[in-house]
Amino acid sequence: MNNAIHDRASFKAFARVTMLEMDVASLQNDVKWKKTGGVSLEEIEAVLDGTKIELDVWNYILSLIEKDNKL
């Protein structure tokens, strides 16, 4: 694989993981302090669960990119 493409994919995946980690932390804080805005607490918790799943997926993608670099 082209090193430039690999590096760009790695940087993009790492950036996405970082943003999702910040989203999870923010949503956890909202749940903790019951800051729901115009939606229910259950809806915030559902968004948090979905964001955690997305974070797991992007961590997996990042691990595949890094493993590909070692081949």
Side-chain angles (χ1 to χ4, degrees), residues 14-29:
F14 182 75
R16 187 68 182 134
V17 165
T18 300
M19 292 304 300
L20 286 167
E21 288 172 341
M22 292 183 345
D23 290 345
V24 166
S26 176
L27 288 163
Q28 286 174 330
N29 189 47

Side-chain angles (χ1 to χ4, degrees), residues 1-2 9 11 23 30-31 41 45 52-54 59-60:
M1 177 184 287
N2 182 331
F11 294 149
D23 290 345
D30 290 347
V31 168
L41 184 58
E45 290 170 337
K52 286 179 179 178
I53 291 168
E54 188 173 352
N59 272 317
Y60 178 71

Side-chain angles (χ1 to χ4, degrees), residues 34-51:
K34 295 183 177 43
K35 295 184 336 183
T36 61
V39 298
S40 70
L41 184 58
E42 291 80 19
E43 290 170 320
I44 295 287
E45 290 170 337
V47 171
L48 174 59
D49 291 341
T51 305

